Amino acid sequence: MFTGIVEELGQVVALEHSAALEARSARLSVRGPVVVEGTRTGDSISVNGCCLTVSELSDGVFVADVMAETLQRTGLGALAPGSRVNLERALRPGDRMGGHIVQGHVDATAEVLDHHRGEHWDLLRIGLPQEIARYVAVKGSVALDGVSLTVVDVVDDAGSEGTGGRVTVSLIPETLRRTTLGLTQVGEAVNLEVDVMAKYAERLLGARTSQEGQQAC
């Protein structure tokens, strides 16, 4: 589990795709001396919001295997040597919860629709995939490329192409300095994870409604 508070901007050293077509996996090497400090093989590190297990460590670089499901659901497969990535080590008991509960399980990739660069902060507008739009609320939390952000505005606009609306977040100067979000361009895709609490609430309410319906019969 993570909090969405980025510890370090890492740099991709290599992304090696498997030669076997049926495997559809990759090995990702990232330079991140801050997050490597105190890390052991088997530990988890969030890379642009994706929870990955460290398999090798050497001189400030960690290596992680990226499975087919992760390549399909996230933007990790588009990384290249030199790409900057947001890194965060897993939360430890007693750590401060600076952001919100982030699992590192990306729900979908979402397109950047607009990036307004202001004098004091930026506004980022992201398209919401229809299947997860209902989990996003004003003043709620989302994680974009592993960064915990507060939702400024939500526009429900379900379309015929699978879009479920738009969400706007604000990027303060500290976020712009410490993460990759200040570099995002219109048309790029970011990894999106909604607040897991919304999913649990939906699940519990659905079960309760079902039970009440059975009792009524």
Side-chain angles (χ1 to χ4, degrees), residues 201-217:
E202 179 186 58
R203 178 73 171 173
L204 289 170
L205 288 172
R208 180 178 177 179
T209 301
S210 177
Q211 291 175 354
E212 290 177 347
Q214 292 176 358
Q215 292 173 356
C217 293

Side-chain angles (χ1 to χ4, degrees), residues 108-196:
T109 56
E111 182 183 356
V112 176
L113 301 178
D114 183 52
H115 188 162
H116 174 74
R117 303 178 191 276
E119 182 179 357
H120 302 293
W121 60 80
D122 289 8
L123 287 176
L124 201 63
R125 187 159 66 245
I126 308 293
L128 282 175
Q130 192 168 0
E131 65 273 15
I132 60 175
R134 65 184 182 276
Y135 299 117
V136 181
V138 174
K139 305 305 180 185
S141 297
V142 293
L144 297 180
D145 274 351
V147 182
S148 175
L149 298 166
T150 300
V151 175
V152 174
D153 185 37
V154 179
V155 176
D156 293 318
D157 183 22
S160 60
E161 298 180 358
T163 59
R166 292 157 283 163
V167 58
T168 301
V169 295
S170 179
L171 307 179
I172 61 174
E174 186 70 9
T175 303
L176 296 173
R177 283 193 298 267
R178 296 175 62 92
T179 77
T180 62
L181 294 184
L183 304 175
T184 53
Q185 303 292 327
V186 173
E188 289 185 359
V190 292
N191 296 323
L192 170 64
E193 180 185 335
V194 299
D195 192 344
V196 68

Side-chain angles (χ1 to χ4, degrees), residues 3 12 30 40 45 52 71 90-91 96 103 129 140 155 163-164 178 182 187 194 196 205 212:
T3 69
V12 174
V30 178
R40 299 174 296 180
I45 293 179
L52 300 179
L71 291 174
L91 184 68
R96 293 180 177 178
Q103 294 183 296
V155 176
T163 59
R178 296 175 62 92
V194 299
V196 68
L205 288 172
E212 290 177 347

Side-chain angles (χ1 to χ4, degrees), residues 45-129:
I45 293 179
S46 170
V47 180
N48 277 359
C50 306
C51 178
L52 300 179
T53 301
V54 175
S55 59
E56 296 178 22
L57 291 162
S58 177
D59 298 326
V61 174
F62 69 90
V63 178
D65 294 305
V66 186
M67 296 294 97
E69 179 75 3
T70 305
L71 291 174
Q72 179 181 352
R73 287 185 173 270
T74 75
L76 292 189
L79 295 175
S83 296
R84 306 296 284 181
V85 287
N86 299 317
L87 302 178
E88 181 190 355
R89 288 169 290 191
L91 184 68
R92 297 173 299 182
D95 283 352
R96 293 180 177 178
M97 179 63 77
H100 72 284
I101 296 175
V102 178
Q103 294 183 296
H105 302 161
V106 173
D107 292 297
T109 56
E111 182 183 356
V112 176
L113 301 178
D114 183 52
H115 188 162
H116 174 74
R117 303 178 191 276
E119 182 179 357
H120 302 293
W121 60 80
D122 289 8
L123 287 176
L124 201 63
R125 187 159 66 245
I126 308 293
L128 282 175

Side-chain angles (χ1 to χ4, degrees), residues 10-51:
Q11 186 173 36
V12 174
V13 175
L15 180 65
E16 305 169 43
H17 290 271
S18 172
L21 181 62
E22 65 277 6
R24 298 182 184 276
S25 61
R27 282 172 63 81
L28 177 65
S29 301
V30 178
R31 184 174 304 282
V34 172
V35 298
V36 164
E37 181 70 27
T39 295
R40 299 174 296 180
T41 56
D43 288 349
S44 297
I45 293 179
S46 170
V47 180
N48 277 359
C50 306
C51 178

